[in-house]
Amino acid sequence: MTKKISIKDIAKELELSITTVSFVINGKAEEMGISESTINKVMDLIVKRDYTPNNAARLLRTGKSNTIGLIVEDLGNYFFGNVAKVIELEASKRGYNVFLSSTDNNAKTAKELIRKMRNSSVDGLIITPTRGLKDELDKLTADHVPYVLFDRQIHEVDANYVVLDNHKGAYDLTKHLIKNGYEDIGFVTIISEMSQMDERERGYRDAMQDAGLLIDKSQVLKVRFDDPYDEVVAAIGKFVKRRKGLDALFFATNYLGVYGIEALKKVKIKIPYDMAVVSFDDNDLFRLFTPSITVAAQPIREIAVEAIDLLLSVIKSGVKESHSTGKVVSPELIQRESSPPKL
Amino acid sequence: MTKKISIKDIAKELELSITTVSFVINGKAEEMGISESTINKVMDLIVKRDYTPNNAARLLRTGKSNTIGLIVEDLGNYFFGNVAKVIELEASKRGYNVFLSSTDNNAKTAKELIRKMRNSSVDGLIITPTRGLKDELDKLTADHVPYVLFDRQIHEVDANYVVLDNHKGAYDLTKHLIKNGYEDIGFVTIISEMSQMDERERGYRDAMQDAGLLIDKSQVLKVRFDDPYDEVVAAIGKFVKRRKGLDALFFATNYLGVYGIEALKKVKIKIPYDMAVVSFDDNDLFRLFTPSITVAAQPIREIAVEAIDLLLSVIKSGVKESHSTGKVVSPELIQRESSPPKL
DNA sequence: CTGAAAGCGCTTACAG
DNA sequence: CTGAAAGCGCTTACAG
């Protein structure tokens, strides 16, 4: 890079002190009582020379980087990709840069990322936590590093968070099925210590119970997060074949729904004629598939904005005094073709 | 944040000079002839105290940030989200952090992003260029800022780039249709100054011509990139209705394919019975849709790795001497259910 | 084999 | 109303 212009150059050209120039750059000119004509002179030259302060020097001096770290589960995923996009945009509006990375839900990766980002002096972090991240998060708290969790919380950690009302989403989705006449509703989820999966299951169970419908064991399928694609598809296929009476299927998460569509296709079950289908989380496939799939959608923009605002408020107010606050946003039930009134 | 430990603390605790400690941290101890016992003492304490150098100070002193900027079109998009993910991962392996951002194909946004990232002292940039970015890119070249373009090039700019062989992808896809007996193949694309869209159209035209098939005007539909979703869907619907003979449709890009599926659904044209469909770029929807859609897929990992390697090699070798190099990667034809041999 | 010192570009308490 | 100077944490040319 070419030699950049520095505050010293500006000061020299104007025959002013560095201090004076610095004051006007940082908007402290007024309160320091710099004359208006001086302010204007400086402002003009800054524009003319296209001067921008050196961030590294500023950071070194002030300890403020105006950068936040964003750690998501999977950037290649519709939900996280779009959340990242909105957070980046909103952060930018507020004068912040964003370091971005994916964990692939791997705790070791997550720990390394947190470490690396702290090392890069981020002012704060927005994190989709993985399992086994408690110690790392406690360390952040102990070191007064502002952070907010999103998409899921870790119950043992007292942290700021933004999450979806997963119980409500699952409850509403189940109720929608029941109202449309479905009774033998299967539930497909992943084995997980993640709070949000538990709550979705609770939502499903509560809605069934409130409608006086019993759930037996063969009605719920749990697969492992890291099971390979083929196995999961096969497991879902076997599940629906074995349990004869099912008239509807609830997929607890985005990617399970995608796998589930594939599985039903393979075992030649037609949606919605043979079986209604609903899923948590929206995506392009669900919207455009024939039939389109009924979902409980996460309000991406709202989640992103809440997360960045919460983080910046913590950064500004300082971590110590503020108690942890949690935001819960409501999912949106989007009724589509996959769950019509039962014939 | 708590006060971090500095090189001074390490030096003091060991009763060594800062210089010595710095040499061992930077692996220059050997060549400077520091005794092995000293090296070990320093190493041990660094680990024990969990010391990590302050990046800001280092950057200020050396001008090297070990950070690159990545500017993509749309993080929420399957292709770009996944490319970003791989680039981030590979950069991380090579000791680099990544600033990430989307332009939404808006030149003004792109310019601001470049400016902001330069301001953050990135060592180099990987950019999906928008139209009208020539001046900005020339300025990068003039200022010796390393950068590589990806996904598309701007022909008037002499830059490093990694692009897909778009002509080959479109040619192969068209040939595949022709081989399967389709003759009246429509082409839906966007009006664009982007080189890759031109090449896809050329690929389509060349394949048709090589097969002795004529193309008339009513066979090609061009929509504007920024036309709203509804309008594009309506336009595609009208297009296929008006042009009666069409037996196959080629969508020149990912999102047009998605819109196209929606449009065909609306006008009740059944794929592949009434019309075969192929599209450029793969995604979940194309893979899982019924029928699944034949595509020319971009090798995401290869593109990402080529881009980061090219950038880092430029960063390392210095911009001035190296001539611009371009990498062209081949798309992969994935045959699926939407383009069976014509009955 | 090791150290004292300059300097990267800022901000800010202190002085006038 | 404005300036001289210290110091943030490093790296590195120079000296011994």
Side-chain angles (χ1 to χ4, degrees):
Chain A
M1 302 221 190
T2 11
K3 188 95 177 52
K4 266 191 60 177
I5 202 165
S6 84
I7 197 171
K8 208 153 78 182
D9 302 317
I10 301 283
K12 200 184 290 170
E13 187 163 346
L14 255 26
E15 293 184 316
L16 286 169
S17 78
I18 291 176
T19 311
T20 306
V21 176
S22 175
F23 283 152
V24 353
I25 288 168
N26 293 293
K28 299 200 175 167
E30 303 255 311
E31 80 190 66
M32 301 306 283
I34 311 275
S35 75
E36 206 169 315
S37 76
T38 305
I39 295 180
N40 288 335
K41 268 194 300 189
V42 174
M43 286 302 215
D44 289 350
L45 191 62
I46 283 174
V47 173
K48 192 166 151 208
R49 294 270 173 276
D50 195 23
Y51 167 76
T52 48
N54 179 310
N55 279 324
R58 228 177 210 181
L59 165 57
L60 184 57
R61 182 58 228 243
T62 64
K64 281 222 36 175
S65 63
N66 285 309
T67 298
I68 63 168
L70 173 58
I71 298 178
V72 300
E73 179 180 312
D74 178 7
L75 257 184
N77 173 101
Y78 179 86
F79 172 68
F80 288 110
N82 277 289
V83 167
K85 182 179 168 185
V86 177
I87 287 184
E88 200 282 321
L89 186 72
E90 295 296 323
S92 172
K93 277 188 201 161
R94 293 158 175 73
Y96 281 79
N97 283 326
V98 178
F99 276 127
L100 187 45
S101 224
S102 312
T103 65
D104 284 322
N105 215 18
N106 178 311
K108 189 152 157 277
T109 310
K111 281 177 198 166
E112 268 166 28
L113 288 175
I114 291 176
R115 201 188 141 82
K116 231 180 55 176
M117 290 194 176
R118 290 188 62 174
N119 226 321
S120 305
S121 314
V122 296
D123 292 338
L125 289 160
I126 297 177
I127 304 171
T128 319
T130 65
R131 302 145 288 170
L133 213 59
K134 180 180 178 347
D135 291 353
E136 221 60 26
L137 297 176
D138 285 343
K139 207 152 57 171
L140 290 179
T141 308
D143 293 347
H144 301 299
V145 179
Y147 71 94
V148 351
L149 267 25
F150 90 100
D151 192 53
R152 41 191 104 141
Q153 34 185 325
I154 294 193
H155 280 308
E156 316 84 60
V157 177
D158 177 41
N160 299 292
Y161 62 88
V162 177
V163 294
L164 196 71
D165 189 338
N166 287 285
H167 182 276
K168 181 178 179 346
Y171 189 95
D172 290 352
L173 222 35
T174 309
K175 208 170 111 189
H176 159 73
L177 286 172
I178 294 169
K179 221 168 51 189
N180 275 355
Y182 301 94
E183 295 189 327
D184 199 347
I185 303 169
F187 188 78
V188 181
T189 186
I190 47 176
I191 299 165
S192 163
E193 292 146 39
M194 295 293 123
S195 60
Q196 88 272 30
M197 300 314 296
D198 292 346
E199 283 175 29
R200 290 178 193 177
E201 186 171 341
R202 276 205 307 111
Y204 157 73
R205 289 184 182 278
D206 288 351
M208 293 292 276
Q209 187 167 352
D210 289 356
L213 295 170
L214 291 178
I215 302 170
D216 65 59
K217 270 198 186 152
S218 70
Q219 207 164 339
V220 174
L221 173 66
K222 300 196 181 192
V223 301
R224 285 218 311 262
F225 177 80
D226 40 12
D227 280 343
Y229 173 74
D230 295 341
E231 281 182 30
V232 175
V233 169
I236 295 172
K238 227 184 279 175
F239 171 70
V240 294
K241 281 291 178 196
R242 184 178 311 154
R243 162 88 197 186
K244 286 288 181 213
L246 286 182
D247 55 12
L249 219 40
F250 182 144
F251 293 101
T253 186
N254 202 316
Y255 89 97
L256 277 181
V258 173
Y259 289 14
I261 289 173
E262 180 86 3
L264 293 181
K265 186 174 170 182
K266 285 217 167 122
V267 298
K268 309 225 185 295
I269 288 181
K270 290 247 182 282
I271 311 170
Y273 312 107
D274 304 328
M275 197 172 291
V277 163
V278 300
S279 179
F280 224 95
D281 290 357
D282 201 10
N283 65 24
D284 273 353
L285 175 67
F286 293 160
R287 187 165 47 81
L288 294 171
F289 195 75
T290 306
S292 54
I293 307 292
T294 297
V295 298
Q298 310 216 33
I300 287 177
R301 162 152 272 282
E302 188 183 348
I303 290 174
V305 171
E306 290 283 9
I308 185 89
D309 281 346
L310 185 51
L311 180 64
L312 293 190
S313 83
V314 178
I315 289 175
K316 246 133 223 171
S317 71
V319 200
K320 39 277 162 198
E321 63 249 52
S322 63
H323 267 275
S324 301
T325 70
K327 298 265 183 189
V328 178
V329 306
S330 278
E332 188 194 353
L333 180 66
I334 305 179
Q335 299 184 26
R336 299 209 180 98
E337 301 163 354
S338 67
S339 58
K342 196 178 175 185
L343 300 174
Chain B
M1 302 220 190
T2 10
K3 190 91 178 57
K4 265 190 61 178
I5 202 165
S6 84
I7 198 172
K8 210 154 77 183
D9 302 318
I10 301 285
K12 199 184 293 170
E13 187 163 345
L14 255 26
E15 292 183 315
L16 288 169
S17 77
I18 289 176
T19 311
T20 306
V21 176
S22 175
F23 283 153
V24 352
I25 288 167
N26 293 294
K28 297 198 176 164
E30 303 254 313
E31 81 191 65
M32 300 308 283
I34 311 275
S35 74
E36 206 169 314
S37 75
T38 305
I39 295 180
N40 289 334
K41 268 195 298 191
V42 174
M43 286 302 214
D44 289 350
L45 191 62
I46 284 174
V47 173
K48 192 165 149 208
R49 292 271 173 277
D50 196 21
Y51 167 76
T52 48
N54 179 311
N55 279 324
R58 225 177 212 180
L59 166 56
L60 183 57
R61 183 57 228 245
T62 64
K64 281 222 34 169
S65 64
N66 285 308
T67 298
I68 64 168
L70 172 58
I71 298 177
V72 301
E73 180 179 312
D74 178 7
L75 256 184
N77 172 100
Y78 178 86
F79 171 69
F80 289 110
N82 278 289
V83 168
K85 183 180 167 184
V86 178
I87 288 184
E88 200 281 322
L89 185 72
E90 296 296 323
S92 172
K93 277 188 201 162
R94 293 158 175 74
Y96 281 79
N97 283 326
V98 179
F99 276 126
L100 186 46
S101 223
S102 313
T103 64
D104 284 322
N105 216 20
N106 179 310
K108 188 151 157 279
T109 309
K111 281 176 199 166
E112 268 167 28
L113 287 176
I114 291 175
R115 201 186 142 83
K116 232 181 55 176
M117 290 195 176
R118 291 188 62 174
N119 225 320
S120 305
S121 313
V122 295
D123 292 337
L125 288 161
I126 297 177
I127 304 170
T128 319
T130 65
R131 302 144 288 170
L133 213 59
K134 180 183 179 340
D135 291 353
E136 220 60 26
L137 296 176
D138 285 343
K139 206 151 57 169
L140 290 179
T141 307
D143 293 347
H144 301 299
V145 179
Y147 71 94
V148 352
L149 266 26
F150 89 101
D151 192 53
R152 40 191 106 141
Q153 36 184 324
I154 294 193
H155 281 306
E156 315 86 62
V157 177
D158 176 41
N160 298 293
Y161 62 87
V162 177
V163 294
L164 196 71
D165 190 338
N166 286 286
H167 182 276
K168 179 177 180 347
Y171 190 94
D172 290 352
L173 222 36
T174 310
K175 208 170 109 188
H176 159 74
L177 285 172
I178 294 169
K179 223 171 47 189
N180 276 353
Y182 300 94
E183 295 189 328
D184 199 347
I185 303 170
F187 188 78
V188 181
T189 186
I190 48 176
I191 300 166
S192 163
E193 293 146 38
M194 294 294 122
S195 60
Q196 86 272 29
M197 299 315 295
D198 292 346
E199 284 176 27
R200 290 178 193 176
E201 185 170 344
R202 277 204 308 109
Y204 157 74
R205 288 185 183 278
D206 288 351
M208 293 291 276
Q209 187 167 349
D210 289 356
L213 295 171
L214 291 177
I215 301 171
D216 66 58
K217 270 196 187 153
S218 69
Q219 206 164 341
V220 173
L221 172 66
K222 299 194 182 194
V223 299
R224 284 216 313 260
F225 176 80
D226 40 11
D227 280 345
Y229 173 75
D230 294 341
E231 281 183 29
V232 175
V233 169
I236 295 173
K238 226 184 279 175
F239 170 70
V240 295
K241 281 290 178 198
R242 184 177 310 154
R243 162 89 197 185
K244 286 288 181 212
L246 286 183
D247 55 12
L249 218 41
F250 182 144
F251 292 101
T253 186
N254 202 316
Y255 89 98
L256 278 181
V258 173
Y259 288 15
I261 289 174
E262 180 86 4
L264 293 181
K265 186 174 170 181
K266 284 215 169 124
V267 297
K268 309 225 185 293
I269 288 181
K270 290 247 182 281
I271 312 169
Y273 313 106
D274 304 328
M275 197 172 291
V277 163
V278 300
S279 179
F280 224 96
D281 290 358
D282 200 12
N283 66 25
D284 272 352
L285 175 67
F286 293 161
R287 187 164 49 80
L288 294 172
F289 195 75
T290 305
S292 53
I293 307 292
T294 297
V295 297
Q298 310 216 33
I300 288 177
R301 160 154 273 282
E302 187 183 349
I303 291 174
V305 171
E306 291 283 8
I308 184 89
D309 281 346
L310 185 52
L311 180 63
L312 293 190
S313 83
V314 178
I315 289 175
K316 246 132 226 174
S317 70
V319 200
K320 39 274 161 199
E321 62 250 53
S322 62
H323 267 276
S324 302
T325 70
K327 299 264 183 188
V328 178
V329 305
S330 280
E332 188 195 352
L333 180 66
I334 305 178
Q335 299 184 26
R336 298 209 181 98
E337 302 164 353
S338 67
S339 60
K342 195 177 176 184
L343 299 174

